[in-house]
Amino acid sequence: MKIHLASVFVEDQSKALRFYTDVLGFVKKHDVAVGEDRWLTVVSPEDPDGPELLLEPSGHPAARPYMTALVKDGIPAISFAVDDVRAEFDRLREHGVRFTQEPLEAGTVTTAVLDDTCGNLVQIVHSE
């Protein structure tokens, strides 16, 4: 068994697509109209046939309270592996990304947390 699809609720799918592709560097995999919303997924350019991230519209009644509670408590909705947290932190800051946690080393793990501009906190992590 392996992960095929994970999702993150977003307030605006178009805005999320721009952020996750233009800023974070993912590539669009699927973009299919489904009523007023879209089945919109992105993947890592390093693994285009790997796990997809669904940029899920936050229209479900439970989505907004869930997203708000996570952000209020500083809990990332999703985590992405990077080779160098400090380098990625610097690159993303140059793109105007706001971080709620600067790079933090905890033993063999380094993390940082950013605001995806679409209602979520996102963690970047490197493990040695």
Side-chain angles (χ1 to χ4, degrees), residues 60-97:
H60 188 280
R64 173 70 8 226
Y66 169 76
M67 293 167 69
T68 300
L70 288 180
V71 170
K72 179 181 176 207
D73 290 343
I75 300 171
I78 195 152
S79 182
F80 300 126
V82 297
D83 291 331
D84 183 332
V85 171
R86 174 61 67 182
E88 200 63 23
F89 172 82
D90 292 340
R91 181 187 78 80
L92 292 172
R93 290 276 302 256
E94 288 177 13
H95 280 86
V97 173

